[in-house]
Amino acid sequence: MQNDSSFTFVLFGGTGDLAMRKILPALYEAHKGGMLDESGKIVAVARVAHDKAEYLQWIEEHVRGHVPKSDFDETVWQGFLSRIEYVQLDLSKQGDFVLLRDQLLALPSGIRVFYLATGPSLFVPICRALADVGLNEGARIVLEKPLGYDLASSNAINDAVGEIFAEEQIYRIDHYLGKESVQNLLALRFGNVLFEPLWRREWVESIQITIAEELGVEGRGDFYNQTGALRDMVQNHLLQLLSIVAMEPPHAIESDSVRDEKLRVLRSLKPVQRGDISKVAVRGQYHAGVIRGTHVPAYAAEKGVPPDSSTETFVALKVEIENWRWAGVPFFLRTGKRLADRVAEIVVNFRQVPHPALGNMPAGQNRLVIRLQPNESIRLYCQAKQPGEGWDLAQVHLDLAFDQFFKENRMEAYQRLLLDVINGRLALFVRRDEQEAAWRWVEPILDEWATQNKGPKPYAAGTWGPAAASAMLAQHGTCWLEEEN
């Protein structure tokens, strides 16, 4: 779909890892698909002393390798490069922002987007400097995570940015919300009458949400050691997925309707009492191990990580929602680094049949598995009669693999979200009150872990985390999906 609005996309952190791996490749894909207005420009901003030719050479060396090679077109690539400008800017020099303003005013008029692919400590200084030269008027500002270190620091950033940009100008990005499978979760729930009667406590026994990574900290030890898995993944990605799974039907798929319903879920999360944290929260840290035949070091041996670090690389939680739809249904959340596989999925376990009229039921139960990565799919498990004499049952599944059913190229998460920013669609971005509710819920856990003498539980790299995470589910008569299989 062609975007008919001229735009200028200003990328702070234009030589950073995120720009290289995600943002610029996503903008290239949008360009290749004819989704950007022909007059739209991309202005990369960084401290590095490049001129335009040198920056384009940097893109050739560092970005081109992250663009899919299957249908690469050199002519299209060169057309994309023709959109790009580069501005060297020192954040401490107000005069550099004046020069930035003058260069932006010389470009075609239209929507102006400022994407802050920087550390959160730079968000407020950049916003204030933009306001000082009048670049905040009518613009859109995109804030990457993490937005703060806790509720107080998050509020401080939001307060300061909110003095400069109105809430409808602020796009707090969570790339999981841009995944095609998350959109299909909304379509599955609210486009089909089939599931709605079952999507409640009377028929759902438990729900699991997992985001597992095989990778470690990948050279970001300094950053990760100050963050940890709870801040890095739970406070945003996992709680956002939870709110979409559990939300009530919105009035329409528009920004405030969707975000209002997500907020109601976040505000309904049962508060975690300090004395109960050990029962409902497990934290772990990976030790040396083997992943796909390769030996990997322990977290404490990673570059930039102190050898006595107590930062968690794994979190498993039992969460409850105190409302009529979900009262009594446990939601089990799990994320970690250096786990056995790279997978993100949502597992809805339905209750067992009330009476086994056909005799002994086989292992397993009705469940819906929504795979977010690596291969997006939806799979519904049910029981069927095996061929032959008698009533022997077996678990079978109905499968929707998106790449097999839909032949169109699917947009990557960042591509979708960047187009939404340019087109002014806020539904897939996090509103401030959502963010506050999420921080408020996780903060007691953060505080308790900060005061505990005992550190995270060890687990070997290449496994599924500490045994305590499995024991937590066993207390509720269930197990993680891979353990059943």
Side-chain angles (χ1 to χ4, degrees):
M1 181 176 64
Q2 171 71 43
N3 170 42
D4 296 324
S5 299
S6 180
F7 67 92
T8 303
F9 188 96
V10 184
L11 175 58
F12 283 86
T15 57
D17 185 63
L18 185 63
M20 175 181 69
R21 293 185 299 106
K22 296 295 184 181
I23 300 172
L24 290 171
L27 289 170
Y28 166 74
E29 291 295 325
H31 167 84
K32 184 179 71 174
M35 299 174 184
L36 301 178
D37 183 84
E38 291 182 0
S39 65
K41 289 290 186 179
I42 301 164
V43 179
V45 177
R47 292 189 63 175
V48 183
H50 285 323
D51 59 22
K52 178 178 177 179
E54 290 170 334
Y55 184 68
L56 294 181
Q57 182 59 38
W58 181 89
I59 290 179
E60 288 280 358
E61 296 172 359
H62 295 89
V63 177
R64 187 166 178 161
H66 295 280
V67 172
K69 298 179 176 61
S70 56
D71 56 350
F72 184 83
D73 186 307
E74 184 65 36
T75 301
V76 174
W77 175 252
Q78 293 302 320
F80 172 68
L81 295 183
S82 70
R83 291 182 181 271
I84 298 176
E85 305 289 339
Y86 181 77
V87 175
Q88 181 188 1
L89 185 146
D90 186 333
L91 296 180
S92 65
K93 297 178 179 179
Q94 185 62 23
D96 283 6
F97 281 87
V98 174
L99 294 175
L100 173 64
R101 179 196 63 193
D102 293 344
Q103 293 195 44
L104 295 181
L105 291 176
L107 296 175
S109 61
I111 297 158
R112 191 172 290 147
V113 173
F114 295 102
Y115 195 115
L116 306 193
T118 68
S121 63
L122 300 180
F123 291 172
V124 174
I126 291 174
C127 289
R128 286 177 175 159
L130 291 173
D132 288 343
V133 296
L135 288 176
N136 59 318
E137 295 297 329
R140 295 166 187 164
I141 189 87
V142 185
L143 305 180
E144 265 288 346
K145 78 171 186 71
L147 198 67
Y149 185 77
D150 52 18
L151 179 60
S153 59
S154 176
N155 282 340
I157 293 173
N158 278 315
D159 287 344
V161 174
E163 292 175 359
I164 299 163
F165 294 93
E167 180 64 28
E168 60 269 19
Q169 294 177 270
I170 302 173
Y171 292 70
R172 299 174 189 85
I173 195 167
D174 184 330
H175 72 272
Y176 267 84
L177 300 184
K179 289 182 177 292
E180 191 73 39
S181 44
V182 175
Q183 315 302 299
N184 269 299
L185 174 58
L186 291 168
L188 183 80
R189 286 202 55 198
F190 306 130
N192 299 283
V193 72
L194 171 65
F195 290 104
E196 177 57 26
L198 304 178
W199 213 263
R200 58 188 64 248
R201 60 185 175 84
E202 291 86 352
W203 305 109
V204 175
E205 182 178 271
S206 65
I207 294 178
Q208 300 174 16
I209 305 177
T210 294
I211 302 177
E213 300 177 273
E214 287 185 336
L215 296 176
V217 295
E218 302 303 297
R220 299 188 309 147
D222 290 334
F223 161 78
Y224 195 87
N225 201 60
Q226 300 299 317
T227 307
L230 189 63
R231 291 183 177 92
D232 189 43
M233 298 296 291
V234 176
Q235 182 272 330
N236 40 71
H237 299 328
L238 278 168
L239 289 185
Q240 282 291 317
L241 291 176
L242 167 67
S243 65
I244 290 176
V245 171
M247 65 189 276
E248 296 296 322
H251 170 69
I253 300 298
E254 58 187 28
S255 58
D256 283 334
S257 292
V258 172
R259 299 192 295 182
D260 285 347
E261 297 304 335
K262 288 196 296 172
L263 177 63
R264 289 189 178 97
V265 174
L266 294 170
R267 287 179 171 171
S268 298
L269 297 180
K270 183 179 180 180
V272 181
Q273 304 301 321
R274 295 287 290 266
D276 294 333
I277 288 175
S278 62
K279 303 174 186 175
V280 300
V282 175
R283 62 171 173 160
Q285 186 185 100
Y286 65 83
H287 286 200
V290 177
I291 296 180
R292 301 191 185 278
T294 300
H295 178 82
V296 296
Y299 171 74
E302 299 275 15
K303 182 180 179 181
V305 177
D308 60 347
S309 172
S310 61
T311 297
E312 78 282 355
T313 62
F314 175 96
V315 175
L317 300 167
K318 177 200 167 192
V319 181
E320 294 182 66
I321 300 174
E322 297 183 313
N323 63 21
W324 277 45
R325 182 183 288 267
W326 296 113
V329 177
F331 287 71
F332 297 107
L333 313 185
R334 174 177 60 163
T335 186
K337 290 188 175 295
R338 292 295 191 203
L339 298 182
D341 200 2
R342 172 181 174 265
V343 62
E345 65 186 7
I346 299 163
V347 180
V348 181
N349 291 313
F350 295 99
R351 297 190 183 279
Q352 300 283 7
V353 295
H355 173 68
L358 301 179
N360 293 328
M361 298 291 291
Q365 61 191 119
N366 295 150
R367 66 164 51 97
L368 186 70
V369 178
I370 302 158
R371 177 67 63 91
L372 307 179
Q373 67 180 30
N375 300 310
E376 297 174 348
S377 64
I378 296 176
R379 180 172 285 185
L380 177 64
Y381 289 85
C382 53
Q383 305 294 342
K385 178 185 176 300
Q386 296 190 53
E389 186 178 4
W391 283 97
D392 294 329
L393 302 182
Q395 191 176 61
V396 298
H397 60 262
L398 308 173
D399 212 344
L400 171 58
F402 297 136
D403 58 347
Q404 296 178 21
F405 194 88
F406 298 109
K407 300 306 179 184
E408 300 90 343
N409 290 331
R410 290 166 304 164
M411 284 193 286
E412 293 297 322
Y414 268 96
Q415 181 183 347
R416 177 190 303 279
L417 294 173
L418 296 182
L419 288 171
D420 278 359
V421 176
I422 293 170
N423 290 308
R425 296 189 288 257
L426 278 160
L428 298 180
F429 295 85
V430 180
R431 203 167 58 193
R432 175 175 179 169
D433 48 10
E434 292 180 73
Q435 194 173 66
E436 288 181 1
W439 272 120
R440 191 170 288 109
W441 187 81
V442 303
E443 205 160 51
I445 304 174
L446 288 169
D447 292 344
E448 175 68 12
W449 286 352
T451 59
Q452 282 183 354
N453 293 325
K454 54 185 179 181
K457 297 180 183 299
Y459 65 96
T463 67
W464 282 103
S470 297
M472 183 171 66
L473 270 69
Q475 293 174 359
H476 296 273
T478 187
C479 62
W480 298 106
L481 180 61
E482 78 279 350
E483 294 173 335
E484 179 176 300
N485 294 337

